[in-house]
Amino acid sequence: PLKWLVSAQNDNGGWGADITSPPDVATTAISGISLIRLGHTMSAGQYQASTRKAVGYVAAAIEKTPKEEIAINAPGTLAQRKLGRYIDTFLGAQLLSEALPSMKPGKERDRVKAALQACVSKIERAQRADGSFSPDGWAGVLSDAFATGGLHAAKAAGAATSPAVEQRAEHHMLENYDGKTHQFRTQSSAGVELYAMAGTAEAAARTGQMKGEAAQAALARLSDENFIRGFGTY
């Protein structure tokens, strides 16, 4: 699978939904993150050149996008239909954040860091009053999770982030659990409890609330083999 992934990369550094389709930022970011987590970073690993090309593709896309625009990819991609219009922005931040630690000081690193900061600003502008980030996509809670994860990854990589935005985002994710009914709200998760539970557990872990009722409820269900088996390969 790793060799196939590398062979499917376009000459410009991007990946698309299929091996012959035009590349998009979200798919490229997912592919680049996969390479980094398998040890092919910006400075090490057999396929480090593929990782650098992917990071360059995403950075270039951010640089071409006007400052006031949130989306950094043209509409209509598979990733957007599933995860919302701004998924490219959210995942772009995640990729650049994971790439930075393995980059040596210099112009290339400065470029990636600037692109990441621009991406963070776009994510923060995308946040709505209730703490969510995207009204579209198949399951909004997934988009919210990627946006929040992107912000936290960026902060860990040294980018400047807004504490207020982070707090609203985490609160929104934790609110997916209703303490009165002891159920997880699924209006924004396409009726799939798993997505809401995973997002809630992740938010609780980041905010030190794993002993809270929401996190404990999520862990209880996520530890139930019969519950998880119902989702198959998901």
Side-chain angles (χ1 to χ4, degrees):
L2 175 58
K3 290 181 179 179
W4 182 91
L5 179 66
V6 173
S7 72
Q9 187 176 29
N10 286 280
D11 291 339
N12 64 2
W15 276 270
D18 293 300
I19 197 167
T20 57
S21 60
D24 64 84
V25 173
T27 307
T28 300
I30 292 171
S31 302
I33 290 168
S34 299
L35 288 175
I36 290 172
R37 294 184 182 184
L38 286 170
H40 307 279
T41 69
M42 295 291 282
S43 59
Q46 181 182 355
Y47 299 115
Q48 59 181 282
S50 293
T51 302
R52 288 198 298 270
K53 287 170 63 178
V55 169
Y57 176 88
V58 172
I62 297 169
E63 292 165 350
K64 294 175 183 176
T65 306
K67 184 178 180 180
E68 64 276 7
E69 291 186 16
I70 296 172
I72 58 175
N73 202 102
T77 68
L78 174 62
Q80 290 170 352
R81 291 196 296 275
K82 289 292 186 179
L83 299 169
R85 180 70 180 92
Y86 303 144
I87 188 60
D88 303 274
T89 308
F90 305 156
L91 282 170
Q94 186 75 40
L95 170 64
L96 300 185
S97 298
E98 296 196 25
L100 270 172
S102 61
M103 298 185 72
K104 298 177 181 179
K107 291 183 179 180
E108 186 181 21
R109 190 180 192 281
D110 292 342
R111 180 198 183 197
V112 171
K113 191 171 183 179
L116 174 59
Q117 191 62 60
C119 217
V120 167
S121 298
K122 293 178 183 297
I123 296 175
E124 292 178 344
R125 287 202 301 278
Q127 191 178 53
R128 300 189 292 173
D130 65 353
S132 64
F133 290 88
S134 182
D136 59 351
W138 180 62
V141 70
L142 297 177
S143 190
D144 294 337
F146 279 119
T148 308
L151 285 177
H152 279 273
K155 181 178 179 180
T161 58
S162 167
V165 170
E166 291 179 54
Q167 290 170 8
R168 282 195 298 269
E170 301 293 14
H171 178 74
H172 175 71
M173 296 298 289
L174 290 169
E175 283 292 295
N176 283 322
Y177 178 75
D178 189 334
K180 294 181 179 179
T181 63
H182 306 293
Q183 298 292 324
F184 285 87
R185 299 183 177 92
T186 57
Q187 294 93 325
S188 65
S189 64
V192 182
E193 276 189 298
L194 177 65
Y195 300 156
M197 290 175 188
T200 298
E202 188 177 35
R206 283 194 293 252
T207 57
Q209 300 184 61
M210 290 304 291
K211 293 184 179 180
E213 184 180 358
Q216 290 300 305
L219 289 179
R221 294 302 300 278
L222 293 172
S223 300
D224 184 340
E225 185 178 343
N226 291 325
F227 173 74
I228 295 297
R229 186 183 293 122
F231 294 97
T233 56
Y234 292 157

